[in-house]
Amino acid sequence: MGIFKRNLWMLFWLVVAVGVLVLSFILTSIWQSTLRAQEAHHQSRVELISQSAINVLRTQELILDVAAAELVRLDLVNDTPEVLPFLDNIMEASPALAGFGMALPDGQLVKVTSTVDVSLMPNLLEQEESRDGFQRAMESDRLVVGRTYYLPAVGAWIIPARKAIRDASGEVIAVMSAGIRADGEKGVFGNNLHTGADDSVMIFREHDGYLQFMSSEGVTPDMYAHIQRTPEQREEDRQGLIAANDASLEELKVSPEPSIYYSHRDGDTFIGGAWYSPDYELWIVSESNIRSVWSTFLDRALVLLAVFVALFFLLFYLVRQIERAEKKRRSALMYQSRHDDLTSLLNRVGMIDQIQQLVNRDEGFGVVLLDIDNFRGINDRFGQEHGDKVLSEFARCLRELTSEQYGASRLGGDEFAVISRIHEPEKLLAFCSELLRGLARHMATGPMGLQLGASVGAAAFPDHGDSFNSVIRSAHLALYQAKRTRNDVCLYRNEFEAGYLRRVHIEQRLRGAIHQGRIFMAYQPQLDACGRVVGVEALARWDDEELGYVPPNEFVEVAESCGLMVELGNYVLGRSLSDFRTILDQARMPLELSVNISAMQFMQSGFAELVLSELQKHGVHPHYLTLEITETVFMAGFDQVIPVLEHLRREGISLSMDDFGTGYSSLSLLRKLPIDELKIDKSFVDNIIDDESARNMVESIIAIGKNHRMRLVAEGVEEQAQFSTLVAMGCGRFQGYLFSRPVPASDVASVVRQCNDKAAPPV
């Protein structure tokens, strides 16, 4: 989960980082685009205003030329002050004019339009605002634009436009002067040429640095007319313009296109466009605070940022949802990986995790392992679906009875475990006993009404193991010991270790013994009532080089638990038939061979064909062979076993039920089974003389056998009195130490002859 989470968020942040880079690139592009657009705006506006201003000034120059020519023609160039109507007519051609007239070289205005109050008209040479412009006009042949100032005679702020009138010799005889309105709302010098609070349009005089005109928010002529850029400021402006355009000042002054510049003053940054008019020595400037660019940029950028943030949060939400879904899925998978699907208990992995956590905390606990007795018979007889219901019910009961413990788990099949808070050995043993009784009680009174037993093995941490592996191993050893007696509770003891090691050693050696043929057969004769040998029972024996003599019940039990039983059983069958062929040849009389067959052999596919193949291989007639089985064969799979038994019986092989009377269902099975022989268990024969109940049981078995026309064989006959009693009861065959111990195959013929020589003659 941690790796997935890190990778998912790493991918998320990678996408975000890429998104930020793309966003930065887009924002940079938008900024550059906005900046270029603003630059283009100023260039366009400068071009437009420049054209308009130059056109106005040229128009004024033309008007002044016409008026001057008319004054000269009418010989009105004199010092008589007067209002001339024809000047009014000329002025009507230019609505931007506040008034105009003619001044003498001494600066006194004498010929004016009706819009001028001559009494209020100052001397142009004596007035500071007009002196410089008037003098320069007399020195120039072209129109000269003077400083902007307020003229009371016309009651308006004006931009003076003056042009000298010369006689034939070139002497100045008068100066025509026009006042262009600088405070109107319309025209090129209107106060609404700007767009916004941070925007302005300005005209600077190159000659002296005065601000000729300005259109800006809240700015009027009385505010800007007296503004003059110092020589230092003008030089700084020139250098900024030169640097921004990478051109000399001379090149910029003759350039037909406006130049872009950036200016820093009063703590702000300005962007603008400027164009120089050589004819009138004016700089026409369109300028705005960089804030306007930022404002336009932010208007566009905020939309993009909003989209980006929305996408960011959407992606974040999706990643969180994916993370939560993955966490939920992993949690479900983790739950599934640690819980059993059928019972919802912890599985083996979950139990291991639980135990490992307790071990890591060095916290005492008990491990209780439970194994349902004879569960395989339930599963095979009633079906897997019924078996699953039994397991579910058992798990439910186990969960209820262990609710105060750390937890219960199913390890697989019919094996369960409980991790108990009890870790004192004596208390743990008492808990296991009570748990076993409680399970039996709950199962019996539950919806299925089952009489179910279980084997329980327990071990305590740290008394029976100071690590995870050791305590689990101790619990398994205890369970193995409990399963030997069934429906029992066993707490781990140190001596189990030796038994376990021996079992492991037997398992290791047994495989080699089967493959190398070191397991041999011994044969115990079966006699009739007259004492004549009628057959032999094949008994497996193993004398190992390392282990010494290993009892059959010990290595057979190991073979059953480790999966070697089929291989061992098939080996015993083949070896017995091989020996029996030799015995028949040596004894030269008809005998029968009894071979024990395990339930696992019967369950293997093609078992009947295997038996018939071995008979043919060793040349033994099927009528000589008796297969001994126990009722566990039918518990393992009744419907599967019956066809196999019937097949073998049709071929002439006899079937014997071994240990009859020791199980729970033998009597009910007899009427359904194709059985030819019943073997009375040694436990009944041992007590037949002194125990009336044992004698009654033997009499009942014999009666059942006769009623079903079966042969009766008594095992473990060791005393003459036992033999006589069994004969009197009607038993037909016998085997035991009274007659002969099991002997090697090579000695069977001589034992048969000795027994037959002692036998009583048939009646």
Side-chain angles (χ1 to χ4, degrees), residues 630-655:
T630 62
E631 65 179 26
T632 56
V633 171
F634 309 104
M635 296 295 292
F638 185 86
D639 295 335
Q640 183 177 349
V641 169
I642 290 299
V644 179
L645 294 178
E646 291 176 345
H647 183 189
L648 293 171
R649 199 179 188 201
R650 286 195 303 270
E651 297 295 334
I653 298 171
S654 298
L655 301 173

Side-chain angles (χ1 to χ4, degrees), residues 8 31 116 151 575 596 669 708:
L8 181 63
W31 170 254
V116 179
L151 183 62
R575 182 69 178 266
N596 289 281
L669 286 174
H708 287 80

Side-chain angles (χ1 to χ4, degrees), residues 513-660:
I514 295 173
H515 295 157
Q516 298 169 18
R518 292 199 299 269
I519 295 178
F520 61 92
M521 306 305 299
Y523 300 89
Q524 187 173 35
Q526 294 180 346
L527 290 75
D528 60 15
C530 298
R532 295 181 62 82
V533 177
V534 293
V536 292
E537 180 181 3
L539 303 170
R541 296 292 183 265
W542 181 24
D543 195 357
D544 187 71
E545 295 177 355
E546 295 182 8
L547 299 171
Y549 177 73
V550 183
N553 61 329
E554 191 174 8
F555 70 76
V556 168
E557 182 183 0
V558 172
E560 287 179 342
S561 63
C562 70
L564 287 174
M565 194 61 235
V566 172
E567 187 176 356
L568 175 62
N570 293 342
Y571 169 82
V572 167
L573 177 63
R575 182 69 178 266
S576 299
L577 290 173
S578 176
D579 289 347
F580 187 65
R581 179 67 267 172
T582 303
I583 291 171
L584 288 177
D585 293 339
Q586 292 176 352
R588 297 183 179 278
M589 60 176 295
L591 294 172
E592 296 177 6
L593 173 66
S594 295
V595 180
N596 289 281
I597 302 297
S598 72
M600 295 180 184
Q601 285 178 272
F602 263 100
M603 298 304 293
Q604 67 177 313
S605 178
F607 174 70
E609 290 74 12
L610 173 66
V611 174
L612 296 174
S613 175
E614 289 292 327
L615 287 169
Q616 184 178 6
K617 175 181 177 181
H618 298 291
V620 178
H621 196 279
H623 288 91
Y624 290 145
L625 179 61
T626 298
L627 300 181
E628 294 188 9
I629 58 178
T630 62
E631 65 179 26
T632 56
V633 171
F634 309 104
M635 296 295 292
F638 185 86
D639 295 335
Q640 183 177 349
V641 169
I642 290 299
V644 179
L645 294 178
E646 291 176 345
H647 183 189
L648 293 171
R649 199 179 188 201
R650 286 195 303 270
E651 297 295 334
I653 298 171
S654 298
L655 301 173
S656 173
M657 179 171 285
D658 197 9
D659 301 331
F660 183 76

Side-chain angles (χ1 to χ4, degrees), residues 259-312:
S259 302
I260 296 298
Y261 70 91
Y262 292 86
S263 174
H264 303 278
R265 61 181 184 272
D266 301 328
D268 284 329
T269 301
F270 298 86
I271 177 176
W275 180 78
Y276 181 72
S277 171
D279 293 338
Y280 304 109
E281 297 182 331
L282 297 174
W283 283 100
I284 300 171
V285 177
S286 173
E287 182 183 82
S288 61
N289 195 303
I290 200 71
R291 285 195 302 265
S292 63
V293 181
W294 278 108
S295 178
T296 304
F297 166 73
L298 289 177
D299 287 343
R300 300 172 62 187
L302 285 176
V303 174
L304 186 61
L305 281 172
V307 173
F308 177 81
V309 171
L311 291 176
F312 170 83

